[in-house]
Amino acid sequence: MEIKDAKFEISNVDVRKCPDTDVPEYAFIGRSNVGKSSLINMLTRRKSLAKTSQTPGKTLLINHFNINNGSWYLVDLPGYGYAARGKQQRDEIKRIIESYILNRRQMECLFVLIDIRHKPQAIDLEFLEWLGENSVPFAIVFTKADKLGTNAGAAMVEDYKKVLLRHWEELPPIFITSSEKTRGRDEILDYIEAINKVVKAHQETDSDVQDVNLSEETPSENDIP
Ligand code: GTP
Ligand code: MG
């Protein structure tokens, strides 16, 4: 799938004010500085669509990016667990993130980003556990693969899978990416495209069912006494 058009649409702290549409959306989350905004720019091939920064804590809002003229959305979320923030701001961000994840019915998959250089961290594992408890569909995206050699990167991913399998019966979809080197782009876009197709097929079936219901309710000549 190609992204022909990508536009920033709206920033929010309130999930109820997010775009009121039926199109699928895909959100990106993970610790501050893991590379969420950079990944959105890499996928859309727009250098500074989502704002990036070397300082953690750049993204503080729910940001919607409209893809291919309203066909679907990419959503940049604030990072979790940035220690230098005060407790009040950390709690506020936690509330925004949780309310978005639990209430946004259009969100078809949450991409959870993990820095490929780090051993499994409690904060990420606990977050994944919470997603599982709440039946949130997610995939894992390892970021910054260019910072390790191919073999070292693959070894980190294998270690991570082992840890996941201590808690999970099966592994989620896993992507290895580098925004710097445009790695993993086709894999993620193909995955999104496959989900978009399923959503569309469901919506068409639903609207057929609605048509049948409507036609059943419409009085016909035979109903007139
Ligand atoms: P917050 O919005 O602050 O939570 O951060 P974020 O997760 O959106 O991270 P962001 O995309 O702003 O990137 C943080 C830093 O990591 C920036 O300096 C990026 O240039 C760098 N970075 C992101 N992705 C990659 C990558 O694939 N490779 C390398 N080498 N650096 C990256
Ligand atoms: Mg960001």
Side-chain angles (χ1 to χ4, degrees), residues 209-223:
V209 172
Q210 259 172 23
D211 287 350
V212 172
N213 287 343
L214 279 178
S215 61
E216 277 171 0
E217 277 162 25
T218 312
S220 68
E221 282 174 14
N222 299 340
D223 293 324

Side-chain angles (χ1 to χ4, degrees), residues 36-37 51 58-59 76-77:
K36 300 174 290 293
S37 303
K51 292 198 181 71
K58 178 74 187 172
T59 310
D76 195 10
L77 293 172

Side-chain angles (χ1 to χ4, degrees), residues 43-56:
L43 293 173
T44 56
R45 292 199 204 277
R46 307 292 190 282
K47 248 195 158 94
S48 46
L49 184 66
K51 292 198 181 71
T52 63
S53 166
Q54 287 173 322
T55 324

Side-chain angles (χ1 to χ4, degrees), residues 12-32:
N12 262 303
V13 290
D14 187 346
V15 63
R16 289 168 303 178
K17 295 191 183 141
C18 291
D20 181 16
T21 63
D22 279 330
V23 302
E25 68 189 43
Y26 302 87
F28 295 80
I29 198 155
R31 298 178 75 183
S32 280

Side-chain angles (χ1 to χ4, degrees), residues 3 32 132-133 178:
I3 293 187
S32 280
E133 283 161 13
S178 161

Side-chain angles (χ1 to χ4, degrees), residues 108-186:
E108 293 294 334
C109 179
L110 182 66
F111 289 94
V112 181
L113 276 57
I114 311 257
D115 189 321
I116 198 166
R117 295 169 297 171
H118 301 156
K119 291 222 165 340
Q121 313 269 309
I123 189 165
D124 293 319
L125 295 173
E126 281 160 17
F127 181 72
L128 294 175
E129 196 104 334
W130 179 80
L131 294 179
E133 283 161 13
N134 289 287
S135 309
V136 178
F138 69 90
I140 293 183
V141 176
F142 289 97
T143 62
K144 310 193 185 184
D146 57 285
K147 297 219 183 205
L148 291 182
T150 316
N151 291 343
M156 292 303 278
V157 172
E158 283 314 306
D159 281 352
Y160 214 101
K161 285 183 186 168
K162 279 189 199 136
V163 173
L164 288 175
L165 286 170
R166 284 187 211 146
H167 302 266
W168 298 80
E169 275 174 32
E170 54 183 306
L171 293 169
I174 288 176
F175 301 93
I176 301 176
T177 68
S178 161
S179 297
E180 200 71 22
K181 301 269 183 241
T182 313
R183 176 171 173 196
R185 182 176 184 272
D186 290 348

